[in-house]
């Protein structure tokens, strides 16, 4: 998921997606520890998606805050 796709979502959709990705990251880490993870690169990709989402959410919050002022 790239930043342009994320920006098209509403803030509520971004929050839900962030929650889903955090749950997926937890599951991937668990699978990795017990040796069932087939693609370890998936952990890194999920972390990057979480960071990307958090960045866009923060930018949207700052933009709405600046618009009010």
């Amino acid at each position: 998921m790239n930043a342009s796709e994320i920006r098209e979502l509403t803030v509520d959709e971004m929050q839900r997606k962030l929650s889903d990705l955090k749950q997926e990251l937890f599951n991937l880490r668990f699978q990795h520890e017990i040796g069932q993870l087939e693609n370890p690169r998936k952990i890194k990709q999920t972390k990057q998606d979480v960071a990307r989402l958090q960045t866009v959410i923060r930018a949207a919050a700052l933009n709405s805050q600046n618009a009010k002022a």
Side-chain angles (χ1 to χ4, degrees):
M1 176 171 267
N2 59 27
S4 62
E5 291 173 351
I6 294 171
R7 287 188 185 99
E8 293 174 2
L9 303 173
T10 65
V11 176
D12 291 334
E13 290 172 334
M14 285 188 258
Q15 292 289 351
R16 273 188 251 117
K17 184 71 174 168
L18 181 61
S19 176
D20 292 343
L21 284 173
K22 285 184 177 182
Q23 183 63 40
E24 181 181 350
L25 184 59
F26 174 80
N27 292 335
L28 289 171
R29 286 179 176 158
F30 187 74
Q31 288 176 0
H32 182 68
E33 285 299 315
I34 60 174
Q36 291 182 345
L37 186 64
E38 294 178 11
N39 184 6
R41 173 88 173 108
K42 184 74 173 154
I43 293 174
K44 184 175 180 180
Q45 290 171 340
T46 306
K47 283 183 181 180
Q48 289 174 341
D49 287 342
V50 168
R52 211 173 277 121
L53 265 168
Q54 288 175 334
T55 301
V56 173
I57 290 171
R58 177 72 175 144
L62 289 175
N63 285 340
S64 68
Q65 189 177 33
N66 286 339
K68 290 180 183 177

